[in-house]
Amino acid sequence: MDRRQYMRQFLALFSGTFLAQVFNFAAYPLLARLYTPEEFGLLGTFIAAAAIPGALACGRFELAITTAPHSGRQAVLWLCFTIALGVSAFATVAMWLYWWAIDAPMLWLLVPMLFVTVLLTGVTNALTMFLMRHESFRFASIGVVLRTATTVLVQLGVVLVWPGAMGLIAGFALGLVAQSLMGFAITSRWYPLGRPRRSHMRAMFRRFRPQVSVDIPGSLLAALSFNLLPFMLQFLYGTRAVGFYAIGQRIAVLPLQLFNDALSQVFFQRAARAQEARGEFWQEFRLTLLVSVAISLAMLAGLVFLAEPVLALYLGAEWEMSGTILVILAPMLAIRSVTMSLATTVFVMKRPVWLFWHNVASVIAIGAAFGIALATGAGMLTFLLLLAILQGVEYAIFGIALAVAARRRYYRVKAETA
């Protein structure tokens, strides 16, 4: 394994994530004083509502871009765009009916912004996988920076003429617009897409349908496990509680998730190639594990010792609860970070059903914590502590299972070639 190339590709992606967070961290003190916890709570529920269909926007065919034959890579990309259009339309109609039934404010703006958000989530995911297929990790990284910078600038600027949660939501949607436009510009210049051909798209659909049909239920459950918490917090403790969680998520959870995504994407690329060449991928697994553990331990120490005092000083005393929430969730977040960096192991081993059952267990853990809190009238911090314990144990079990399977495959191949 070429470790230098591995780390170079990871750093190309991670550097974009790091620079994007520089924009975020510079803006948080201003955003926290320009918007209220309730307004951040509304942003958090909008993002969660868009993220669930967004996870399935391409029907999971974006994963096929990596393994598709060279002649079929463009057809898979066009297939992803087509599916994303249909999924975003369906999700928008469904949410419009719900928002109309509850008489949600600013419905005429929420509906088109949800459509744009879901559609462009699929488009940017597909373009990112396409660029990485061509080893263009640096260009994929630039898109993350542009998206974050656009989001922050819009959110800071629009509050002067349009105060309220809709300004936050508009910034989030326009950030996706900027990222997708850059992705199209880079792709069109270096890797022309050509015209969509229905026969090629149908052929790729038939070829990869068995793979994605197994992955879709698990991906839906994964999206639910990542995005159910804002809805539960709103139901149990109100929109203000969602706001405290949302700002904590933006400061700690989202950067960590972006790091996981960057590391996981590089691991998936390298492990898939190693599996094809050697029949095993233990070296890639071990290196990814070591990098992820090092980063997660540093994150855990920072959150436990610094989250509460730093956030109170950084954002203002009003946001101190966000730091407390991060301290409670920190151990679970560290375990999740390590596990999700390696979760694509199931695709390399062609055992996606493992990920499905992991996601089932994760949703059950969240549901159990919610049920206990609802039945006992537990406070928000007690609910979050229970949630962290249940999910932390589940993620640890899944991560250990991945490590054992990858190690066994290594020894089996070693014994066969001895």
Side-chain angles (χ1 to χ4, degrees):
M1 181 184 68
D2 189 341
R3 295 192 177 188
R4 289 186 178 180
Q5 184 184 34
Y6 185 100
M7 294 305 299
R8 186 165 55 248
Q9 291 173 341
F10 165 69
L11 289 174
L13 284 177
F14 186 63
S15 62
T17 299
F18 177 80
L19 185 56
Q21 295 316 307
V22 170
F23 283 103
N24 275 331
F25 279 96
Y28 287 144
L30 294 174
L31 290 172
R33 289 166 174 82
L34 292 172
Y35 296 96
T36 67
E38 288 80 2
E39 289 166 345
F40 269 103
L42 291 173
L43 172 65
T45 53
F46 175 85
I47 292 176
I52 293 172
L56 302 175
C58 296
R60 301 301 287 167
F61 276 92
E62 70 272 19
L63 294 176
I65 294 174
T66 301
T67 56
H70 184 77
S71 59
R73 69 197 191 285
Q74 295 169 327
V76 177
L77 185 61
W78 280 111
L79 180 62
C80 288
F81 295 160
T82 304
I83 295 173
L85 185 62
V87 170
S88 58
F90 176 81
T92 302
V93 171
M95 285 305 300
W96 172 76
L97 291 173
Y98 170 73
W99 285 332
W100 176 78
I102 66 172
D103 195 24
M106 304 293 286
L107 188 61
W108 63 279
L109 279 173
L110 280 175
V111 169
M113 281 197 282
L114 181 72
F115 177 81
V116 168
T117 299
V118 176
L119 173 62
L120 295 186
T121 296
V123 168
T124 54
N125 287 344
L127 286 172
T128 298
M129 295 299 291
F130 187 76
L131 289 169
M132 288 194 298
R133 159 81 186 238
H134 294 86
E135 307 271 328
S136 296
F137 293 88
R138 181 167 57 89
F139 292 134
S141 180
I142 293 172
V144 175
V145 177
L146 179 63
R147 171 182 172 177
T148 303
T150 302
T151 297
V152 167
L153 291 175
V154 171
Q155 289 174 340
L156 289 174
V158 76
V159 74
L160 301 176
V161 295
W162 191 17
M166 294 306 298
L168 289 170
I169 295 172
F172 181 80
L174 290 174
L176 278 168
V177 172
Q179 184 184 16
S180 60
L181 289 176
M182 169 167 278
F184 274 117
I186 294 172
T187 303
S188 299
R189 179 173 181 180
W190 298 101
Y191 315 105
L193 298 179
R195 294 183 178 181
R197 298 183 179 181
R198 293 183 180 180
S199 58
H200 291 183
M201 291 166 62
R202 284 195 297 268
M204 291 298 101
F205 178 83
R206 289 192 297 269
R207 176 167 182 167
F208 291 101
R209 183 176 57 185
Q211 172 182 317
V212 302
S213 62
V214 174
D215 185 46
I216 284 176
S219 298
L220 178 58
L221 289 169
L224 289 173
S225 68
F226 274 103
N227 297 287
L228 275 178
L229 189 53
F231 297 109
M232 292 182 173
L233 287 173
Q234 186 177 42
F235 181 84
L236 292 172
Y237 310 110
T239 304
R240 186 175 178 84
V242 181
F244 289 131
Y245 171 75
I247 198 69
Q249 183 186 43
R250 288 168 69 97
I251 289 176
V253 181
L254 181 59
L256 194 61
Q257 183 178 340
L258 292 173
F259 159 77
N260 291 341
D261 291 344
L263 189 58
S264 178
Q265 288 165 352
V266 175
F267 167 70
F268 184 39
Q269 296 279 341
R270 308 309 303 178
R273 299 224 178 344
Q275 172 66 25
E276 182 178 357
R278 306 194 307 264
E280 54 86 18
F281 52 95
W282 174 247
Q283 294 181 57
E284 290 75 12
F285 187 100
R286 184 175 57 185
L287 179 59
T288 304
L289 177 63
L290 292 174
V291 173
S292 182
V293 167
I295 297 295
S296 297
L297 288 176
M299 178 277 300
L300 176 61
L303 289 181
V304 169
F305 293 107
L306 300 175
E308 289 180 304
V310 169
L311 285 189
L313 178 65
Y314 181 56
L315 302 178
E318 184 182 21
W319 294 93
E320 186 176 358
M321 180 59 71
S322 294
T324 304
I325 290 174
L326 288 178
V327 171
I328 292 173
L329 297 179
M332 182 273 288
L333 293 174
I335 297 171
R336 185 172 77 177
S337 175
V338 174
T339 300
M340 297 316 295
S341 296
L342 298 161
T344 48
T345 295
V346 301
F347 299 112
V348 180
M349 297 192 305
K350 295 181 173 57
R351 294 178 180 175
V353 69
W354 286 22
L355 191 58
F356 171 78
W357 288 115
H358 154 67
N359 290 323
V360 169
S362 182
V363 171
I364 290 174
I366 297 173
F370 175 77
I372 294 171
L374 184 63
T376 62
M380 180 177 67
L381 298 184
T382 302
F383 163 65
L384 292 173
L385 178 60
L386 180 60
L387 174 69
I389 293 172
L390 292 176
Q391 278 207 297
V393 170
E394 191 280 323
Y395 275 109
I397 293 172
F398 180 56
I400 292 171
L402 294 177
V404 170
R407 185 69 170 171
R408 283 180 176 175
R409 177 163 296 201
Y410 165 73
Y411 278 119
R412 185 171 64 251
V413 172
K414 185 177 180 180
E416 292 173 353
T417 58

Coordinates of all heavy atoms in Angstrom, one line a residue, residues 103-166:
D103 N -50.0 24.6 9.2 CA -50.0 26.0 8.9 C -48.6 26.6 9.3 O -48.5 27.6 10.0 CB -51.1 26.7 9.8 CG -51.4 28.1 9.3 OD1 -51.1 28.4 8.1 OD2 -51.8 28.9 10.1
A104 N -47.6 26.0 8.7 CA -46.2 26.5 8.9 C -46.0 27.9 8.3 O -46.6 28.2 7.2 CB -45.2 25.5 8.3
P105 N -45.3 28.7 9.0 CA -45.0 30.1 8.4 C -44.1 30.1 7.2 O -43.3 29.1 7.1 CB -44.4 30.8 9.6 CG -43.7 29.7 10.4 CD -44.6 28.5 10.3
M106 N -44.2 31.1 6.4 CA -43.4 31.2 5.2 C -43.3 30.0 4.3 O -42.3 29.6 3.8 CB -41.9 31.6 5.7 CG -41.8 32.8 6.6 SD -42.3 34.3 5.7 CE -40.8 34.6 4.7
L107 N -44.5 29.4 4.1 CA -44.6 28.1 3.4 C -44.1 28.3 1.9 O -43.5 27.5 1.4 CB -46.0 27.6 3.4 CG -46.3 26.2 2.8 CD1 -45.5 25.2 3.6 CD2 -47.8 25.9 2.8
W108 N -44.4 29.5 1.4 CA -44.1 29.7 0.0 C -42.6 29.8 -0.2 O -42.1 29.6 -1.4 CB -44.7 31.1 -0.5 CG -44.2 32.3 0.3 CD1 -44.7 32.7 1.5 CD2 -43.2 33.2 -0.2 NE1 -44.0 33.8 1.9 CE2 -43.1 34.2 0.9 CE3 -42.4 33.3 -1.3 CZ2 -42.2 35.2 0.8 CZ3 -41.5 34.4 -1.4 CH2 -41.4 35.3 -0.4
L109 N -41.8 30.0 0.8 CA -40.3 29.9 0.7 C -39.8 28.6 1.2 O -38.8 28.1 0.6 CB -39.7 31.1 1.6 CG -39.7 32.4 0.9 CD1 -39.2 33.5 1.9 CD2 -38.8 32.5 -0.3
L110 N -40.4 28.0 2.2 CA -39.9 26.7 2.7 C -39.9 25.6 1.6 O -39.0 24.8 1.5 CB -40.7 26.3 3.9 CG -40.3 26.9 5.2 CD1 -41.3 26.4 6.3 CD2 -38.9 26.6 5.6
V111 N -41.0 25.6 0.8 CA -41.2 24.6 -0.2 C -40.1 24.6 -1.3 O -39.4 23.6 -1.5 CB -42.6 24.6 -0.8 CG1 -42.7 23.7 -2.0 CG2 -43.6 24.2 0.2
P112 N -39.8 25.7 -2.0 CA -38.8 25.7 -3.0 C -37.4 25.5 -2.4 O -36.5 24.9 -3.0 CB -38.9 27.1 -3.6 CG -39.6 27.9 -2.7 CD -40.6 27.0 -1.9
M113 N -37.2 26.0 -1.2 CA -35.8 25.8 -0.6 C -35.6 24.4 -0.2 O -34.5 23.8 -0.3 CB -35.6 26.7 0.6 CG -35.3 28.2 0.2 SD -34.6 29.2 1.5 CE -36.1 29.6 2.4
L114 N -36.7 23.7 0.2 CA -36.5 22.2 0.5 C -36.2 21.5 -0.8 O -35.4 20.6 -0.8 CB -37.8 21.7 1.2 CG -37.7 20.2 1.5 CD1 -36.8 20.0 2.7 CD2 -39.1 19.6 1.8
F115 N -36.9 21.8 -1.9 CA -36.7 21.2 -3.2 C -35.2 21.3 -3.6 O -34.6 20.4 -4.0 CB -37.6 21.7 -4.2 CG -37.4 21.1 -5.6 CD1 -37.9 19.9 -5.9 CD2 -36.7 21.8 -6.5 CE1 -37.7 19.4 -7.2 CE2 -36.4 21.3 -7.8 CZ -37.0 20.1 -8.1
V116 N -34.8 22.6 -3.5 CA -33.4 22.9 -3.9 C -32.4 22.1 -3.0 O -31.4 21.5 -3.5 CB -33.1 24.4 -3.9 CG1 -31.6 24.7 -4.0 CG2 -33.9 25.1 -5.0
T117 N -32.7 22.1 -1.8 CA -31.7 21.5 -0.8 C -31.6 20.0 -1.1 O -30.5 19.4 -1.1 CB -32.2 21.7 0.6 OG1 -32.2 23.1 0.9 CG2 -31.2 21.1 1.6
V118 N -32.7 19.3 -1.2 CA -32.7 17.8 -1.4 C -32.1 17.5 -2.8 O -31.2 16.6 -2.9 CB -34.1 17.2 -1.3 CG1 -34.1 15.7 -1.7 CG2 -34.7 17.4 0.1
L119 N -32.5 18.2 -3.8 CA -32.0 18.0 -5.2 C -30.4 18.2 -5.2 O -29.7 17.3 -5.7 CB -32.6 18.9 -6.2 CG -32.1 18.9 -7.6 CD1 -32.2 17.5 -8.2 CD2 -32.7 20.0 -8.5
L120 N -30.0 19.3 -4.7 CA -28.5 19.6 -4.8 C -27.7 18.8 -3.8 O -26.5 18.6 -4.0 CB -28.3 21.1 -4.6 CG -28.9 22.0 -5.6 CD1 -28.5 23.4 -5.4 CD2 -28.5 21.5 -7.0
T121 N -28.3 18.3 -2.8 CA -27.6 17.3 -1.9 C -27.2 16.1 -2.7 O -26.1 15.6 -2.7 CB -28.5 16.9 -0.7 OG1 -28.7 18.0 0.1 CG2 -27.8 15.8 0.1
G122 N -28.2 15.6 -3.5 CA -27.9 14.4 -4.4 C -26.9 14.8 -5.5 O -26.0 14.0 -5.8
V123 N -27.1 15.9 -6.1 CA -26.2 16.3 -7.2 C -24.7 16.5 -6.7 O -23.8 16.0 -7.3 CB -26.7 17.7 -7.8 CG1 -25.6 18.3 -8.7 CG2 -27.9 17.4 -8.6
T124 N -24.5 17.2 -5.5 CA -23.2 17.4 -5.0 C -22.6 16.0 -4.6 O -21.4 15.8 -4.8 CB -23.2 18.4 -3.9 OG1 -24.1 18.0 -2.9 CG2 -23.5 19.8 -4.4
N125 N -23.4 15.1 -4.0 CA -22.8 13.8 -3.6 C -22.3 13.1 -4.8 O -21.3 12.5 -4.8 CB -23.9 13.0 -2.9 CG -24.1 13.5 -1.5 OD1 -23.4 14.3 -0.9 ND2 -25.3 13.1 -0.9
A126 N -23.1 13.1 -5.9 CA -22.8 12.4 -7.1 C -21.5 13.0 -7.8 O -20.6 12.2 -8.2 CB -23.9 12.3 -8.1
L127 N -21.5 14.3 -7.8 CA -20.3 15.0 -8.4 C -19.1 14.7 -7.6 O -18.0 14.5 -8.2 CB -20.6 16.5 -8.6 CG -21.6 16.9 -9.7 CD1 -21.9 18.4 -9.5 CD2 -21.0 16.6 -11.1
T128 N -19.2 14.7 -6.3 CA -18.0 14.5 -5.5 C -17.5 13.1 -5.7 O -16.3 12.9 -5.9 CB -18.4 14.6 -4.0 OG1 -18.8 16.0 -3.8 CG2 -17.2 14.3 -3.1
M129 N -18.3 12.1 -5.8 CA -17.9 10.7 -6.0 C -17.3 10.6 -7.4 O -16.3 9.9 -7.6 CB -19.1 9.7 -5.9 CG -19.6 9.6 -4.5 SD -18.4 9.0 -3.3 CE -18.2 7.3 -3.8
F130 N -17.9 11.3 -8.4 CA -17.3 11.3 -9.8 C -15.9 11.9 -9.8 O -15.0 11.3 -10.5 CB -18.3 12.0 -10.7 CG -17.9 11.9 -12.1 CD1 -18.2 10.8 -12.9 CD2 -17.3 13.0 -12.8 CE1 -17.9 10.7 -14.2 CE2 -17.0 12.9 -14.2 CZ -17.3 11.8 -14.9
L131 N -15.7 13.0 -9.1 CA -14.4 13.6 -9.1 C -13.4 12.7 -8.4 O -12.2 12.6 -8.9 CB -14.5 15.0 -8.5 CG -15.2 16.1 -9.3 CD1 -15.5 17.3 -8.5 CD2 -14.4 16.4 -10.5
M132 N -13.8 12.1 -7.3 CA -12.9 11.2 -6.6 C -12.6 10.0 -7.4 O -11.5 9.4 -7.3 CB -13.4 10.9 -5.2 CG -13.4 12.1 -4.3 SD -13.6 11.6 -2.6 CE -15.3 10.9 -2.7
R133 N -13.5 9.6 -8.2 CA -13.3 8.4 -9.2 C -12.1 8.8 -10.1 O -11.3 7.9 -10.4 CB -14.5 8.2 -10.0 CG -14.3 7.4 -11.3 CD -14.2 5.9 -11.1 NE -13.9 5.2 -12.3 CZ -14.7 4.3 -12.8 NH1 -15.8 3.9 -12.2 NH2 -14.3 3.6 -13.9
H134 N -11.9 10.0 -10.4 CA -10.8 10.5 -11.2 C -9.6 11.0 -10.4 O -8.8 11.8 -10.9 CB -11.3 11.6 -12.2 CG -12.3 11.1 -13.2 ND1 -13.6 11.0 -12.9 CD2 -12.1 10.6 -14.5 CE1 -14.2 10.5 -14.0 NE2 -13.4 10.2 -14.9
E135 N -9.6 10.7 -9.1 CA -8.5 11.1 -8.2 C -8.4 12.6 -8.0 O -7.4 13.1 -7.6 CB -7.1 10.6 -8.7 CG -7.1 9.1 -9.0 CD -6.7 8.3 -7.8 OE1 -5.9 8.7 -7.0 OE2 -7.1 7.1 -7.7
S136 N -9.5 13.3 -8.2 CA -9.6 14.7 -8.1 C -10.1 15.1 -6.7 O -11.1 15.7 -6.5 CB -10.5 15.4 -9.1 OG -10.0 15.2 -10.4
F137 N -9.3 14.7 -5.7 CA -9.7 14.9 -4.3 C -9.6 16.4 -4.0 O -10.4 16.9 -3.2 CB -8.8 14.1 -3.3 CG -9.0 12.6 -3.5 CD1 -8.3 11.9 -4.4 CD2 -9.9 12.0 -2.6 CE1 -8.5 10.5 -4.5 CE2 -10.1 10.6 -2.7 CZ -9.4 9.9 -3.7
R138 N -8.6 17.1 -4.5 CA -8.5 18.5 -4.2 C -9.7 19.3 -4.7 O -10.2 20.2 -4.0 CB -7.2 19.0 -4.8 CG -6.9 20.5 -4.5 CD -5.5 20.8 -4.9 NE -5.2 20.5 -6.3 CZ -5.4 21.4 -7.3 NH1 -5.9 22.6 -7.1 NH2 -5.1 21.1 -8.6
F139 N -10.2 19.0 -5.9 CA -11.3 19.8 -6.4 C -12.6 19.5 -5.6 O -13.4 20.4 -5.4 CB -11.5 19.4 -7.9 CG -10.4 19.9 -8.8 CD1 -9.9 19.0 -9.8 CD2 -10.0 21.2 -8.7 CE1 -8.9 19.5 -10.6 CE2 -8.9 21.6 -9.5 CZ -8.4 20.8 -10.5
A140 N -12.7 18.3 -5.1 CA -13.9 18.0 -4.3 C -13.8 18.8 -3.0 O -14.8 19.2 -2.4 CB -13.9 16.5 -4.0
S141 N -12.6 19.0 -2.5 CA -12.4 19.7 -1.3 C -12.7 21.2 -1.4 O -13.3 21.8 -0.5 CB -10.9 19.6 -0.8 OG -10.6 20.3 0.4
I142 N -12.4 21.7 -2.6 CA -12.7 23.2 -2.8 C -14.2 23.4 -2.8 O -14.6 24.5 -2.3 CB -12.1 23.6 -4.2 CG1 -10.6 23.5 -4.2 CG2 -12.6 25.0 -4.6 CD1 -9.9 23.8 -5.5
G143 N -15.0 22.5 -3.3 CA -16.4 22.6 -3.2 C -17.0 22.8 -1.8 O -17.9 23.6 -1.6
V144 N -16.4 22.1 -0.9 CA -16.8 22.2 0.5 C -16.5 23.6 1.1 O -17.3 24.2 1.8 CB -16.1 21.1 1.4 CG1 -16.5 21.3 2.9 CG2 -16.5 19.7 0.9
V145 N -15.4 24.1 0.7 CA -15.0 25.4 1.2 C -15.9 26.5 0.6 O -16.4 27.4 1.3 CB -13.5 25.7 0.8 CG1 -13.2 27.2 1.2 CG2 -12.6 24.7 1.4
L146 N -16.2 26.4 -0.7 CA -17.1 27.4 -1.3 C -18.5 27.3 -0.7 O -19.1 28.3 -0.5 CB -17.2 27.1 -2.8 CG -18.1 28.0 -3.6 CD1 -17.6 29.5 -3.5 CD2 -18.2 27.6 -5.1
R147 N -19.0 26.1 -0.5 CA -20.3 25.9 0.1 C -20.4 26.6 1.5 O -21.3 27.4 1.8 CB -20.6 24.5 0.2 CG -21.9 24.2 1.0 CD -22.1 22.7 1.1 NE -23.2 22.3 2.0 CZ -23.6 21.1 2.3 NH1 -23.1 20.1 1.7 NH2 -24.6 20.9 3.1
T148 N -19.4 26.3 2.3 CA -19.4 26.9 3.7 C -19.3 28.4 3.6 O -20.0 29.1 4.4 CB -18.3 26.3 4.5 OG1 -18.4 24.9 4.5 CG2 -18.3 26.8 5.9
A149 N -18.4 28.9 2.8 CA -18.2 30.4 2.8 C -19.4 31.1 2.3 O -19.8 32.1 2.8 CB -17.0 30.7 1.8
T150 N -20.1 30.5 1.3 CA -21.3 31.1 0.8 C -22.4 31.1 1.8 O -23.1 32.1 2.0 CB -21.8 30.3 -0.5 OG1 -20.8 30.3 -1.5 CG2 -23.1 30.9 -1.0
T151 N -22.6 30.0 2.5 CA -23.6 29.9 3.6 C -23.4 30.9 4.6 O -24.3 31.6 5.0 CB -23.5 28.5 4.2 OG1 -23.9 27.5 3.2 CG2 -24.5 28.3 5.4
V152 N -22.1 31.0 5.1 CA -21.8 32.0 6.2 C -22.1 33.4 5.8 O -22.7 34.2 6.5 CB -20.4 31.8 6.7 CG1 -20.0 32.9 7.6 CG2 -20.3 30.5 7.4
L153 N -21.6 33.8 4.6 CA -21.8 35.1 4.1 C -23.2 35.5 3.9 O -23.6 36.6 4.2 CB -21.0 35.3 2.8 CG -19.4 35.3 2.9 CD1 -18.8 35.3 1.6 CD2 -18.9 36.4 3.8
V154 N -24.0 34.6 3.4 CA -25.4 34.9 3.2 C -26.1 35.0 4.5 O -26.9 36.0 4.7 CB -26.1 33.8 2.4 CG1 -27.6 33.9 2.3 CG2 -25.6 33.8 0.9
Q155 N -25.8 34.1 5.5 CA -26.5 34.2 6.8 C -26.1 35.5 7.5 O -26.9 36.0 8.2 CB -26.1 33.0 7.6 CG -26.7 31.7 7.1 CD -26.2 30.5 7.8 OE1 -25.2 30.5 8.4 NE2 -27.0 29.4 7.7
L156 N -24.9 35.9 7.4 CA -24.5 37.2 8.0 C -25.1 38.4 7.3 O -25.4 39.4 8.0 CB -22.9 37.3 8.0 CG -22.2 36.4 9.0 CD1 -20.7 36.5 8.8 CD2 -22.6 36.7 10.4
G157 N -25.1 38.4 6.0 CA -25.6 39.5 5.3 C -27.1 39.7 5.3 O -27.6 40.8 5.4
V158 N -27.8 38.6 5.2 CA -29.3 38.7 5.0 C -30.0 39.1 6.3 O -31.1 39.7 6.2 CB -29.8 37.3 4.6 CG1 -29.9 36.3 5.7 CG2 -31.2 37.5 3.9
V159 N -29.3 38.9 7.5 CA -30.0 39.3 8.7 C -30.2 40.8 8.8 O -31.1 41.3 9.5 CB -29.1 38.8 9.9 CG1 -27.8 39.7 10.1 CG2 -29.9 38.8 11.2
L160 N -29.4 41.6 8.0 CA -29.6 43.0 8.1 C -30.9 43.5 7.4 O -31.4 44.5 7.8 CB -28.4 43.7 7.3 CG -27.0 43.4 7.9 CD1 -25.9 44.0 7.0 CD2 -26.9 43.9 9.3
V161 N -31.4 42.7 6.4 CA -32.6 43.1 5.7 C -33.7 42.1 6.0 O -34.9 42.4 5.7 CB -32.3 43.2 4.2 CG1 -31.4 44.4 4.0 CG2 -31.8 41.9 3.6
W162 N -33.4 40.9 6.5 CA -34.4 39.8 6.6 C -34.1 39.0 7.8 O -33.7 37.9 7.7 CB -34.4 39.0 5.3 CG -35.5 38.0 5.2 CD1 -36.7 38.0 5.9 CD2 -35.6 36.8 4.4 NE1 -37.5 37.0 5.5 CE2 -36.8 36.2 4.6 CE3 -34.7 36.3 3.4 CZ2 -37.2 35.1 3.9 CZ3 -35.0 35.2 2.8 CH2 -36.3 34.6 3.0
P163 N -34.3 39.6 9.0 CA -34.0 38.8 10.2 C -34.9 37.7 10.5 O -36.0 37.7 10.0 CB -34.1 39.9 11.3 CG -35.1 40.9 10.8 CD -34.8 40.9 9.3
G164 N -34.4 36.6 11.1 CA -35.2 35.5 11.4 C -34.6 34.2 10.9 O -33.6 34.2 10.2
A165 N -35.3 33.1 11.2 CA -34.8 31.7 10.8 C -34.7 31.6 9.3 O -33.8 30.8 8.8 CB -35.7 30.7 11.4
M166 N -35.5 32.2 8.5 CA -35.5 32.0 7.1 C -34.2 32.5 6.5 O -33.7 32.0 5.4 CB -36.7 32.8 6.4 CG -38.0 32.2 6.8 SD -38.2 30.4 6.5 CE -38.0 30.4 4.7

